[in-house]
Amino acid sequence: ITIDRTELLANSLAKLVCSVGSLNSTTHGLEIALYAGRRASDRTFLILQNLFCMKTLVGYVGTSSILAVKEIDRAFRVTGGSADEAKQLVKHLMGTHAHEQ
């Protein structure tokens, strides 16, 4: 079975929507950071995943994806938005020291 990129992207986005919907349907009270990036299967998915979580995930506090933040900031600027608007959406750029040594 061969799944083309469009079908893979659509399936991944559908799974994301369901997962975020499940989280949002609870009163979890958690602060949630999205740690995704170098293991993402597709650059487009990575950016859409981050944007979707930024806009819809209850408790979202930030992302570890420098690429997603860079692209979202650029998109805001190209469409006439401000850096402040992009920063409010992104919230925080986060990371770990797991791979630092």
Side-chain angles (χ1 to χ4, degrees):
I1 296 175
T2 302
I3 299 175
D4 72 5
R5 180 176 179 251
T6 304
E7 187 175 357
L8 180 61
L9 181 60
N11 288 336
S12 297
L13 289 171
K15 185 174 181 178
L16 173 66
V17 170
C18 290
S19 296
V20 169
S22 277
L23 279 168
N24 287 350
S25 70
T26 67
T27 52
H28 55 73
L30 300 172
E31 292 184 342
I32 302 171
L34 182 59
Y35 285 86
R38 49 192 199 105
R39 289 185 183 92
S41 60
D42 185 281
R43 178 180 172 161
T44 301
F45 176 72
L46 175 66
I47 294 167
L48 291 173
Q49 174 191 44
N50 273 270
L51 190 57
F52 185 77
C53 288
M54 289 171 184
K55 295 188 76 59
T56 63
L57 180 58
V58 174
Y60 171 84
V61 295
T63 183
S64 69
S65 177
I66 294 169
L67 174 67
V69 170
K70 182 182 123 195
E71 292 298 322
I72 289 166
D73 181 66
R74 186 176 65 78
F76 264 84
R77 291 171 192 260
V78 167
T79 59
S82 70
D84 286 338
E85 289 174 304
K87 184 174 168 109
Q88 288 174 2
L89 184 65
V90 170
K91 300 203 191 256
H92 298 283
L93 184 58
M94 307 172 140
T96 70
H97 297 288
H99 302 288
E100 308 289 329
Q101 296 261 343

